[in-house]
Amino acid sequence: RRALSSKFVKAKTAKMDTSGASWKDCTVLTQCAVMYTRNKFMANLFALIVLVDFLCTCIDVDTRATGANTGDVVQITADLCLCAYSIDTVLVVIAKGLRILLDPMMMTDAFVLTCGYVETLMQYMGYGDLMSSVAVFRMLRLVRILRVTRVLRRTGGFRELQKLIRMLSTCLKTLFWSFIFCFVMMTVWALLIVELVNPLMEEVFQDCLECQKSTSSVMRANVLLFKTVIAGDSWGQISVPMMEEYPLTAIIFMGSLLTLVFGVMNLIVAVVVDTFAEARQRDVLNLAEEMQNNETLDRERLERIFKRIDTDGSGMVTFDELLEGARRDPEFQSRLRVMDIDEADLEQLFEMIDVNGEGEIAAA
């Protein structure tokens, strides 16, 4: 009978088609690629490269806006960053297999790299002026902004920001329909403004032609509501003078304020949060990744605790060392208290881990 471990099942790294390369070379290359994708230092270094490229993009856009040419240092730095992106993409494909190319995010990376090489090729062929004048080619430069998203996928230090991006991508459909709903509600109040408030505008704002035009049509009334209610701008220019002259118009202006701001906006927030919560429960891949990250962090913390408990530095912990460490280490005490483990339970736990009865367990 095959011996099985108590660890969770993890997928094996896919092997790529060597197409002529020896099996040994392919194995070494795959191992190096896997080590690269799992190395935190390389992930942080790549994040730094992405941020440097983003800075170069900002400098390039500012320089071209003034009509000047981008400096050679900025251009060469951007080209080196493009080479780094290419190497990173190849290593990721080697480590995770060719199936990763079907992933939408990897398709986005491939599109970004293609646009980058087209832009660089045209730049060195002397078509820089053409790229600056034609809108389609100018978009190739702006595609580089999408490279910043790779920082979120390669580093684990931006977990909160990753959740924000994931929430935005998950709730795009909900946000779209929320905007439609908000626009419909504003249109209802805009109809009332055109029917009831517009006839009074000429009398109140005799010297302000723009004020009279602001309620002359449903679309203009929508713009007025968005400006005053949603954006909170120019509330005292039209709404307050009208309510002072005709107090009953406060029903429309205050009603639209209460309905849109305290009603529709809060409803949209509640629906978006609920949608993200449902999507998060269904997203088993991200949940498994978060659980694995939490398990890794807990393992590292426990290793540090056991190193502090291992007073003789032998790499093995006896029960006396474990008990003494539980009495003097605050972090270890807190963990045991959370798990409701007292000294008697700690002895039973030690005996369960020490399956060979050697009287000591490995600290790592």
Side-chain angles (χ1 to χ4, degrees), residues 220-234:
R220 288 179 179 271
N222 265 317
V223 174
L224 174 65
L225 286 174
F226 184 84
K227 182 173 65 174
T228 56
V229 177
I230 305 299
D233 182 31
S234 303

Side-chain angles (χ1 to χ4, degrees), residues 58-71 123 128-129 132-133 138 141:
C58 295
I59 295 175
D60 179 48
V61 172
D62 288 342
T63 304
R64 289 186 294 104
T66 60
N69 294 325
T70 306
Q123 189 74 30
D129 296 336
S132 300
S133 58
R138 287 204 302 268
R141 300 178 184 268

Side-chain angles (χ1 to χ4, degrees), residues 267-285:
L267 181 63
I268 290 175
V269 172
V271 172
V272 168
V273 172
D274 185 64
T275 302
F276 177 71
E278 292 179 357
R280 189 174 184 274
Q281 291 179 353
R282 295 193 300 266
D283 193 358
V284 293
L285 293 178

